[in-house]
Amino acid sequence: MNQTLKILQPCGILDDINTNKLHQYIHNFVEDGVDIILVDFEKITLINSSGIGALASTIKTVKIAGCQLCICSINAQVRMILELTKMDRLLKIFANRKEFEKQVFFA
């Protein structure tokens, strides 16, 4: 069985505007029947409280659809925010794309 993968790489600060755009892309992927969505945070510098709220909504959308949402390449600040909000428990987090590919997509 072939799994479909889509990768997104947002940049800058994940605030309500950028996270809502990300949510819309992911929503479209879910409607298209994508199995795995990887969001590469390499170019994300910070996530604010509005971004956390929108990210929570995105996680719910993906979970209801039965898709898998993964993130990779998060910096220390973003990791701390995800841990403080316990969002890290709802996401599959990988060190980088190579780790993701090794453990999930090409396993």
Side-chain angles (χ1 to χ4, degrees):
M1 176 174 104
N2 287 338
Q3 291 185 319
T4 54
L5 166 69
K6 290 289 183 179
I7 299 173
L8 293 168
Q9 189 170 29
C11 61
I13 297 173
L14 272 186
D15 54 12
D16 57 340
I17 294 169
N18 288 332
T19 311
N20 284 331
K21 288 178 188 175
L22 181 68
H23 177 79
Q24 189 57 51
Y25 280 117
I26 290 173
H27 179 76
N28 292 341
F29 291 157
V30 166
E31 287 201 344
D32 290 344
V34 171
D35 299 303
I36 303 170
I37 301 166
L38 174 65
V39 183
D40 187 336
F41 274 52
E42 183 177 26
K43 295 181 180 180
I44 293 297
T45 56
L46 183 66
I47 184 168
N48 69 17
S49 59
S50 298
I52 288 291
L55 185 59
S57 174
T58 300
I59 292 168
K60 184 177 178 181
T61 297
V62 170
K63 191 172 202 164
I64 288 170
C67 298
Q68 188 174 359
L69 178 64
C70 304
I71 64 173
C72 71
S73 306
I74 61 174
N75 67 34
Q77 278 187 308
V78 171
R79 179 174 295 279
M80 182 178 69
I81 291 166
L82 293 177
E83 288 173 355
L84 287 171
T85 59
K86 301 192 185 333
M87 297 288 284
D88 62 320
R89 296 178 185 182
L90 303 173
L91 295 162
K92 294 186 180 186
I93 302 173
F94 297 91
N96 51 46
R97 281 194 197 189
K98 224 176 203 178
E99 238 355 86
F100 164 80
E101 291 169 357
K102 187 170 132 184
Q103 292 184 34
V104 175
F105 198 64
F106 299 113

